[in-house]
Amino acid sequence: MRIFAAILGLLAGFGISTPQAGFRSPESLVRNVYAYYGDRSSALSSGLPRDGGTARQFFDPGLRDSWLSTNAEPYDFFVQSPTWKLGGISISILRRQFDETYVAASFDNQGRAVTLNFILVDGPDGWVITDVESPHDSLRMFLTQYKN
């Protein structure tokens, strides 16, 4: 499992070095989000960073500012917990609707099943996140609650 995390971290490192927004496919975007959730032994495995380059690469313009202006949440929305040790991640396209694609990400976090639905749009520079839904909340609402 550590080898898998190391490979994902390495792949994420290549994505981080480009200043452009977006990814080539919806699945690639979600895989790259979770590449940041390793064992916290490096910056590439300590959760999705809150810097301008990461915000441009992963989020649509409406979500970027919220991502950057928030840093005191009680937990990490992408793993639904303040800590993590993720099991295998299953990624599947739920539906394509107009300009949005809904992608489900399911995984085990410390023995608890988690499923999130990513709402992605294909912008001029590639796929970006417009929102993420959990059974109880959305990323937009969550970030609005904890905005600085």
Side-chain angles (χ1 to χ4, degrees):
M1 189 58 144
R2 289 178 192 250
I3 293 172
F4 179 71
I7 291 171
L8 284 177
L10 180 63
L11 292 174
F14 289 122
I16 292 169
S17 64
T18 62
Q20 296 178 356
F23 291 87
R24 292 184 183 202
S25 74
E27 298 92 336
S28 172
L29 190 160
V30 176
R31 269 193 304 275
N32 276 278
V33 166
Y34 289 105
Y36 284 97
Y37 291 89
D39 60 7
R40 296 185 184 209
S41 63
S42 74
L44 291 176
S45 67
S46 296
L48 194 62
R50 294 193 179 274
D51 60 67
T54 301
R56 263 188 314 281
Q57 187 177 23
F58 283 90
F59 300 110
D60 75 351
L63 196 52
R64 286 179 197 153
D65 290 338
S66 294
W67 181 254
L68 293 171
S69 68
T70 309
N71 61 11
E73 310 95 355
Y75 63 94
D76 189 309
F77 190 87
F78 288 111
V79 293
Q80 298 286 295
S81 174
T83 61
W84 60 83
K85 182 171 184 174
L86 304 183
I89 299 169
S90 171
I91 299 169
S92 61
I93 292 181
L94 296 175
R95 71 178 180 266
R96 296 177 194 270
Q97 183 175 347
F98 305 109
D99 63 339
E100 297 177 334
T101 296
Y102 292 73
V103 178
S106 301
F107 52 89
D108 175 89
N109 183 11
Q110 299 175 346
R112 190 173 62 96
V114 176
T115 299
L116 297 174
N117 293 325
F118 286 74
I119 303 170
L120 311 176
V121 294
D122 191 6
D125 295 323
W127 289 93
V128 291
I129 299 168
T130 189
D131 206 357
V132 182
E133 300 172 333
S134 74
H136 309 288
D137 205 355
S138 77
L139 180 60
R140 282 185 186 275
M141 291 188 322
F142 178 77
L143 293 174
T144 299
Q145 285 179 312
Y146 298 101
K147 199 170 195 174
N148 292 339

